[in-house]
Amino acid sequence: QVQVVESGGGSVQAGGSLRLSCVASKYTMFHDACMAWFLQAPGKEREGVAAIDGFGNTKYADSVKGRFTVSHSNADNTLTLQMSGLRPEDTAMYYCAAARYGTCSHEVFLDTSKYTYWGQGTQVTVSP
């Protein structure tokens, strides 16, 4: 069974950086596969942050463009979210997710409904 595990969360001051990592066991980033990062603040719905497919095509939420970078390493089978210029409003639980094979054959999605395998989340807290 696919297992998704995130790591790298923590507390940082505004303007700082964090690097989140995610490993999905028994999952391969084929060209039509995709993985993504989502965030959920208390009392709010889960929102897409960044996604990437097996070709390296990416999609970002407008709020993080230019600040966050998503990447995937086939060598380590690790999904990474490099976060820079962090803001207090970035504070949330960050979740890693993987989609069923074939989901991203035509485009990359940032919709929760497109993803099947989910991690437990890692907390990111940005103080002013």
Side-chain angles (χ1 to χ4, degrees):
Q1 295 180 339
V2 176
Q3 291 183 316
V4 181
V5 180
E6 310 97 330
S7 63
S11 298
V12 65
Q13 291 186 327
S17 300
L18 281 174
R19 187 179 182 89
L20 306 184
S21 297
C22 171
V23 175
S25 64
K26 299 182 180 180
Y27 187 86
T28 303
M29 277 289 274
F30 297 118
H31 291 167
D32 59 357
C34 48
M35 297 181 68
W37 292 96
F38 295 82
L39 67 82
Q40 188 167 24
K44 305 277 284 187
E45 294 184 340
R46 194 166 298 185
E47 302 176 353
V49 177
I52 187 169
D53 68 11
F55 282 111
N57 297 310
T58 58
K59 186 174 184 178
Y60 296 93
D62 289 340
S63 61
V64 308
K65 287 181 178 178
R67 300 190 298 124
F68 294 6
T69 301
V70 64
S71 62
H72 186 269
S73 171
N74 289 326
D76 301 322
N77 196 32
T78 300
L79 181 75
T80 298
L81 184 67
Q82 179 65 53
M83 304 184 294
S84 299
L86 284 163
R87 305 165 179 170
E89 51 263 42
D90 296 322
T91 296
M93 185 73 73
Y94 282 72
Y95 296 90
C96 176
R100 293 188 180 95
Y101 299 138
T103 298
C104 293
S105 60
H106 298 289
E107 61 182 299
V108 183
F109 297 100
L110 269 179
D111 310 290
T112 57
S113 62
K114 297 295 185 180
Y115 292 85
T116 301
Y117 313 107
W118 293 84
Q120 295 296 313
T122 185
Q123 179 67 38
V124 171
T125 302
V126 184
S127 62

